[in-house]
Amino acid sequence: MYIILWINTPMVRKYFYLCEALTVGYFMTQLLSFWNFIGRHKYVITVVAFGLIIGFLDENSLVRRAKYRHEINQLNSEIERYQKEYQKSTELLNELATNPEALEKIAREKYLMKKPNEDVFVFEK
């Protein structure tokens, strides 16, 4: 099916024949070929769509799971650090409660306390 287009110009009159590519039949054939493509590859399209949803779009996506795993590892290392600090503090407290020499050592080093007949010199690095 061809459509004839008549153009009036002052210089030239021409007939333009538009090819069948601009007719409705061409668009229908393209639409049918698109549906045929989908029909032939429906399982591949379904698997790819499922992979995108699971990998990126879902609330429990693989990307979020990796981020959560990283955050859990960081929190576990922080817990270990605080447990070590707690153990050190507990040992120091037990030592201070049982040993008066340790109490004197902490008072001298940390709080710069002195006996009445002593002078304290502080050297900074």
Side-chain angles (χ1 to χ4, degrees), residues 53-55 57-65 68:
I53 289 171
I54 294 299
L57 303 176
D58 190 30
E59 186 176 312
N60 297 318
S61 68
L62 297 175
V63 174
R64 287 187 186 173
R65 283 180 182 240
Y68 293 152

Side-chain angles (χ1 to χ4, degrees), residues 37-71:
F37 177 80
I38 289 177
R40 279 182 274 140
H41 300 95
K42 60 187 166 199
Y43 297 112
V44 173
I45 292 171
T46 304
V47 168
V48 168
F50 181 73
L52 286 174
I53 289 171
I54 294 299
F56 300 103
L57 303 176
D58 190 30
E59 186 176 312
N60 297 318
S61 68
L62 297 175
V63 174
R64 287 187 186 173
R65 283 180 182 240
K67 184 176 75 173
Y68 293 152
R69 187 176 304 121
H70 179 69
E71 187 176 342

